[in-house]
Amino acid sequence: MAEITYREAVRRALVEEMRRDERVFIMGEEVGVWGGTYAVTRGLLDEFGEKRVRDTPISELVIAGAAVGAAMNGLRPVAEIMTVNFALLSLDAIVNHAAKVHYMFGGQFHCPMVLRTTAGWGQLSATHSQTFENYFAHVPGLKVIMPGTPKDAYGLLKSAIRDPDPVVFIEHTHLYRVRGEVPDEEFTLPIGRSEIKRPGRDVTVVAYSRMLQEALRAADELAKEGIECEVVDIPTLRPLDLEPIIRSFQKTYRAVLATEQWLGYGLDAEIAAQIYEHAFDYLDAPIRRVTARPVPLPYSRELEQMALPGKEEIKQAVLDVLR
Amino acid sequence: MIQVQTEEGVLSTFDRETLLSWYRQMILIRRVEEEAAAAYQRGHIGGFLHLYIGEEAVAVGALNALRPDDNVVVHYRDHGHALARGLPARAVMAELFGKATGCSRGKGGSMHLADATKRFWGGYAIVGGQMALAAGIALADQYAGHDRLTICFFGDGATNNGYFLESMNLAAVWKLPVIWVCENNAYGMGTAVERASAVTEIYRKACAYDTPAERINGQDVLEVYAAVRRAADYVRAGHGPYFVEAVTYRYRGHSMGDPERYRSKDEVEEWARQDPIERFKRFLIEEGVPLEILESIHAEVEEEVQDAVRFAAESPPPPAEALWEDVYANPPADDPFLLPPEVAALP
Ligand SMILES: Cc1ncc(C[n+]2csc(CCOP(=O)(O)OP(=O)(O)O)c2C)c(N)n1
Ligand SMILES: [Mg+2]
């Protein structure tokens, strides 16, 4: 079993799926000659050529819309939108077309496309530091994946490409250099499965994407103080696999929900509501949410750090719910 | 046999049956829509109903210039294209009535007719949205090495949003096999072309994408046919997209219940004098088609339309389970959102 980076895991999934299935192709801005804005698709143009690794104009709307049409007509597009901030310009094609063509025409068409994009930040200021997974996860008909480890990124991207439904696959720029074990032999992971990434008896911590890594670090440190967190990862945000969250909560009676989304109408609120609906009798403390401060992200390093959530806030929230 | 002349000379020789079938399609469209309007007034059809009356020559001329395996993508004003493509009047009317027997199983309605078996990829109701899908559908055929082409219809108003620019450009850069057909019916809802578009001869916009374009009389089914044949030859030869602006006019409101404050009755009457069906009828009679034959076509269509209305009225609505079907092609068994909360209760 090799330790590889999240970036290499994504690339490996793309390459394997393209070798396996002629219908799989990549299109997006700077995916070919440049090698991918985050170097994920580096080398793919050489192996697969311009037909299957397609540089597009700066046209987020038609990248997504053409992916829908190509998927309906038999291909397996992997469309890349450079960052999720720019995906706002694709939103109509994703919400009004990708998510609708199967249902609205009575099941006559399928839309087996993947829209890959990135969340992340790093002194990029307000327009370039956002994370909009709840915009997509709100929409029936879409599947939304936001993996937090190299293994999940690999196994879930492969499943996403093979799935007959449209999948929004959001990578995190801060995870690209994270290393993790990924088995050498080929495998896929099922979409729609939550997973306990660290067992524990005291507090349930639900997290995904970069916040999963933060939660695992927080749990390590708290363990030294004798507090055992159970970290539940939700790499698939929709469809949500609720059962591991509820079962964990029924054991710990306490929950902390960690996300990089702004406080207010986010994924954390949905999960809290689900816990209240399904496990109200087990509640020993109010559920705590760890989120970004609801302000446009500022440029200054100091201000940016104040705005973003991390390991320390998770630790504090765990201590709060135990109090 | 009837020879059809154009300015460049003889376009084609058609057998009489072919031209009569076009005539039949045109009156079928008109009569289906007149009956739909009546059914709307009676409350059998809900939502938006956008009628194509006055524009029939565009869909009929264009779709008869293509092969049955070519792809058709349309906007929400889609009844004419659906019928010209051969969707049964029953399936169309039942969809308007929201019935299980409708071509989209009662889930799409007037704006979202589709038939996968006829490569009729659907009507789309977000203005311009179908242009991006058409580019992708064409890309899939180009990628797979098929010589099918994709025809995409949209209105004059659609040429003002971003879908138009991005799709026109991508199709040109990638030489996608697309025929763009702009149905310039003078208005986008109540806004006249000259109040919405800096360029009023829409076909001139295509030059920004180096796409060959022409402007034709959309009330003349033969002229539409000729233009789309030229377009198809060009596109199928692998040269990339081609643009046709069909100048046409809708007689009815934008949708039902349009107060029509933006135009005069005189203007509508003026256009009605150039009615595409009357025009084609005169042509056929001049070519020696006996009036009785045309009348028998009318009688046949009448029967078909009445049957379609009866069928739609008598069909059952979709079953309750249909509400939850086809949200996903591969639905997860335990999605807490996909079932009502009382069913989704966890152990
Ligand atoms: C993106 C979007 N904006 C606005 C509307 C509302 N709308 C529906 S039809 C229409 C006019 C479109 O005009 P045109 O493209 O000329 O087509 P026509 O209806 O004349 O055939 C508008 C504004 C819409 N459906 N989608
Ligand atoms: Mg118009």
Side-chain angles (χ1 to χ4, degrees):
Chain A
M1 181 141 54
E3 269 225 342
I4 61 173
T5 64
Y6 187 95
R7 180 191 336 268
E8 288 161 348
V10 173
R11 186 188 300 136
R12 181 180 149 194
L14 289 170
V15 167
E16 285 179 8
E17 290 308 294
M18 288 179 79
R19 287 185 189 149
R20 189 185 62 82
D21 185 347
E22 270 295 311
R23 299 170 302 172
V24 179
F25 73 101
I26 294 173
M27 65 170 158
E29 294 159 24
E30 310 298 348
V31 296
V33 176
W34 186 287
T37 309
Y38 297 100
V40 171
T41 52
R42 184 167 294 166
L44 269 63
L45 178 64
D46 290 340
E47 176 169 353
F48 298 105
E50 284 189 352
K51 179 181 168 191
R52 299 183 67 198
V53 181
R54 306 179 76 101
D55 282 320
T56 65
I58 305 164
S59 299
E60 286 77 12
L61 187 53
V62 78
I63 292 169
V68 177
M72 290 168 76
N73 196 11
L75 298 186
R76 299 255 159 180
V78 180
E80 179 175 322
I81 301 293
M82 202 178 274
T83 83
V84 77
N85 305 283
F86 317 143
L88 297 183
L89 284 158
S90 319
L91 212 48
D92 180 67
I94 300 166
V95 173
N96 276 325
H97 299 101
K100 302 295 190 283
V101 293
H102 185 60
Y103 188 88
M104 185 169 75
F105 297 118
Q108 295 184 73
F109 305 119
H110 289 181
C111 187
M113 64 175 278
V114 177
L115 189 113
R116 279 185 55 237
T117 188
T118 57
W121 39 267
Q123 288 201 272
L124 300 169
S125 188
T127 60
H128 275 57
S129 311
Q130 302 165 100
T131 184
F132 290 129
E133 58 272 19
N134 59 330
Y135 288 24
F136 303 104
H138 184 57
V139 180
L142 294 181
K143 294 177 177 175
V144 182
I145 297 174
M146 215 161 162
T149 67
K151 182 179 168 194
D152 286 346
Y154 167 84
L156 285 167
L157 181 54
K158 287 174 73 87
S159 293
I161 292 170
R162 297 179 192 191
D163 198 81
D165 293 310
V167 179
V168 176
F169 193 90
I170 307 176
E171 296 153 27
H172 198 295
T173 57
H174 287 230
L175 293 177
Y176 278 135
R177 295 165 71 168
V178 166
R179 295 187 160 273
E181 294 202 327
V182 182
D184 296 328
E185 61 281 6
E186 188 180 353
F187 66 96
T188 63
L189 291 172
I191 294 172
R193 282 287 157 265
S194 302
E195 190 188 16
I196 293 174
K197 286 277 175 20
R198 177 193 174 106
R201 55 168 196 269
D202 297 326
V203 177
T204 298
V205 180
V206 182
Y208 60 96
S209 189
R210 186 189 72 98
M211 291 303 274
L212 170 69
Q213 298 290 344
E214 297 292 304
L216 290 171
R217 247 175 260 137
D220 279 347
E221 293 181 14
L222 287 165
K224 292 185 189 125
E225 300 168 29
I227 297 167
E228 291 297 336
C229 296
E230 180 146 286
V231 179
V232 185
D233 179 22
I234 47 169
T236 305
L237 304 177
R238 188 183 190 111
L240 180 63
D241 178 16
L242 201 53
E243 201 171 316
I245 300 172
I246 301 298
R247 292 224 184 285
S248 175
F249 187 78
Q250 287 170 338
K251 191 170 70 180
T252 65
Y253 315 126
R254 295 173 168 83
V256 168
L257 315 177
T259 170
E260 271 187 15
Q261 297 220 286
W262 287 306
L263 183 69
Y265 309 103
L267 263 144
D268 46 309
E270 175 61 41
I271 292 165
Q274 296 281 355
I275 294 174
Y276 287 126
E277 280 171 22
H278 291 287
F280 184 73
D281 294 341
Y282 294 80
L283 209 62
D284 265 6
I287 294 169
R288 273 293 308 271
R289 298 189 267 164
V290 175
T291 69
R293 313 291 175 265
V295 296
L297 265 281
Y299 167 72
S300 142
R301 188 189 307 269
E302 292 75 14
L303 291 178
E304 184 183 54
Q305 284 309 311
M306 285 164 62
L308 289 163
K311 178 192 69 177
E312 292 306 320
E313 285 90 338
I314 295 173
K315 283 168 67 182
Q316 188 56 51
V318 168
L319 296 176
D320 287 349
V321 296
L322 281 169
R323 205 180 295 138
Chain B
M1 297 303 247
I2 297 177
Q3 289 197 333
V4 174
Q5 307 278 336
T6 65
E7 281 159 29
E8 303 123 63
V10 176
L11 165 70
S12 270
T13 307
F14 295 100
D15 57 53
R16 187 187 266 188
E17 291 316 306
T18 302
L19 293 182
L20 289 178
S21 74
W22 300 3
Y23 183 76
R24 188 183 195 287
Q25 286 175 1
M26 288 169 76
I27 50 179
L28 178 68
I29 295 168
R30 183 158 301 184
R31 287 294 301 124
V32 163
E33 290 209 315
E34 286 169 350
E35 288 303 316
Y40 191 93
Q41 304 298 1
R42 292 196 304 273
H44 293 305
I45 297 174
F48 290 147
L49 183 72
H50 304 91
L51 300 181
Y52 195 60
I53 292 177
E55 306 186 35
E56 296 91 341
V58 184
V60 172
L63 294 184
N64 282 290
L66 301 181
R67 298 195 323 219
D69 66 334
D70 288 331
N71 304 297
V72 185
V73 191
V74 201
H75 50 355
Y76 47 86
R77 197 178 296 287
D78 56 356
H79 314 150
H81 312 81
L83 292 164
R85 186 56 164 191
L87 271 72
R90 280 183 161 200
V92 169
M93 193 62 86
E95 188 61 35
L96 304 190
F97 276 58
K99 297 301 182 71
T101 51
C103 57
S104 301
R105 297 191 199 151
K107 284 180 163 175
S110 157
M111 302 194 286
H112 307 111
L113 306 176
D115 187 340
T117 65
K118 297 200 153 52
R119 302 190 79 79
F120 186 79
W121 295 91
Y124 292 86
I126 300 298
V127 168
Q130 75 279 11
M131 295 188 73
L133 269 60
I137 289 168
L139 170 64
D141 283 334
Q142 182 193 60
Y143 187 100
H146 291 305
D147 70 343
R148 288 194 288 254
L149 57 78
T150 297
I151 192 165
C152 177
F153 296 86
F154 48 93
D156 46 281
T159 68
N160 299 319
N161 83 9
Y163 269 122
F164 177 83
L165 183 157
E166 294 193 18
S167 307
M168 291 282 293
N169 185 60
L170 191 77
V173 170
W174 287 356
K175 287 199 177 346
L176 298 177
V178 182
I179 302 176
W180 302 116
V181 179
C182 178
E183 299 179 332
N184 181 352
N185 60 7
Y187 297 93
M189 291 186 71
T191 307
V193 171
E194 60 273 18
R195 293 177 58 223
S197 179
V199 174
T200 55
E201 292 170 320
I202 303 287
Y203 81 103
R204 288 172 54 210
K205 293 187 180 185
C207 81
Y209 313 99
D210 216 2
T211 295
E214 51 182 298
R215 182 177 226 233
I216 57 159
N217 178 1
Q219 305 310 83
D220 181 350
V221 69
L222 300 172
E223 195 173 327
V224 176
Y225 173 88
V228 174
R229 268 304 293 273
R230 274 192 297 279
D233 291 345
Y234 178 90
V235 171
R236 232 185 284 280
H239 299 307
Y242 195 99
F243 190 97
V244 177
E245 176 189 1
V247 178
T248 182
Y249 198 79
R250 63 169 159 74
Y251 299 174
R252 302 296 183 98
H254 167 72
S255 59
M256 304 299 286
D258 171 357
E260 298 192 51
R261 286 202 200 90
Y262 50 87
R263 64 182 183 184
S264 67
K265 285 217 159 59
D266 288 352
E267 181 184 299
V268 181
E269 277 163 24
E270 176 59 33
W271 274 93
R273 277 196 284 279
Q274 307 166 48
D275 184 66
I277 295 180
E278 286 304 315
R279 180 189 183 111
F280 193 37
K281 185 176 184 179
R282 278 199 304 276
F283 170 84
L284 293 171
I285 289 171
E286 277 163 25
E287 290 297 326
V289 176
L291 199 56
E292 308 84 77
I293 292 194
L294 299 182
E295 277 164 2
S296 73
I297 291 175
H298 279 263
E300 238 179 75
V301 165
E302 202 50 39
E303 229 169 85
E304 186 175 342
V305 173
Q306 296 308 330
D307 166 74
V309 174
R310 243 188 337 268
F311 174 80
E314 288 165 5
S315 289
E321 313 87 81
L323 180 66
W324 300 98
E325 281 168 8
D326 295 328
V327 179
Y328 295 97
N330 180 21
D334 49 4
D335 184 344
F337 305 129
L338 255 192
L339 293 169
E342 62 276 14
V343 184
L346 285 171

